[in-house]
Amino acid sequence: NAFWINAMAMFFGVTIPLPFVGMLSDYCGRMKTMVLGAVGVGVLGPLCLFVITQGQPVRAFFAQWFLGIMLALYGGPISAWLVERFPVKVRATSLSLGYDIAHCTASAFSPLVATYLVQRVSPVAPGAIYSLFAVLALVGMFMSTKIHQDGGLEDGASSPATETEMADATEEEEETEREII
């Protein structure tokens, strides 16, 4: 039962809403959407974990579904948000290095910390991990305020760059590639 509760909650809470949340961020702004998701996970994540540990399948499903929606609010716009933060010349390196180091660190140590907290504190103590990562996400978002104008959108903008601007950006990228070679 636990597998199917988790699988269905994540399917209906993350997989299906994710592209719609990405579109929502095109209209409302990426920062607003991501802040809502991070605050939701940070504040209500520990409460959701408490509900999940109570052993009632329906409540566990809705708690996981809610967490999925909050994660989708953060994860839907993050790819576009990251691309807008770096100039073309360093974008691939900057994105891959920063994003992958963050994922490796969080993925590697979260299970260890969660296990330690469950054994030493209580079964709901790992909920603090949600709050910690939410705070780190918010700090990172607010520290990274520059949006590069090479085809990216300003926060809250509703129309993509013109074809001429996109062609100019493509020409700049090709020129940069030629310089590197």
Side-chain angles (χ1 to χ4, degrees), residues 29-40 74 78 81-82 85 133-147 155:
R30 301 191 208 302
M31 281 287 284
K32 291 176 187 173
T33 309
M34 291 170 64
V35 165
L36 179 62
V39 169
Y74 185 82
I78 196 167
W81 183 84
L82 287 168
R85 294 299 181 262
F133 284 130
V135 168
L136 291 175
L138 290 167
V139 167
M141 283 189 290
F142 288 114
M143 285 178 60
S144 174
T145 58
K146 185 167 178 89
I147 297 176
D155 238 11

Side-chain angles (χ1 to χ4, degrees), residues 84 91 146-155 165 169 172:
E84 294 167 347
R91 185 172 292 157
K146 185 167 178 89
I147 297 176
H148 293 275
Q149 297 303 313
D150 54 11
L153 299 176
E154 291 285 349
D155 238 11
E165 292 170 338
E172 287 178 26

Side-chain angles (χ1 to χ4, degrees), residues 114-137:
T115 302
Y116 178 82
L117 290 172
V118 166
Q119 290 175 350
R120 303 277 190 223
V121 182
S122 79
V124 296
I129 296 172
Y130 286 125
S131 300
L132 171 68
F133 284 130
V135 168
L136 291 175

Side-chain angles (χ1 to χ4, degrees), residues 52-68:
I52 292 165
T53 62
Q54 299 305 301
Q56 298 177 354
V58 174
R59 288 184 181 176
F61 170 83
F62 283 108
Q64 288 187 30
W65 173 81
F66 176 80
L67 280 172

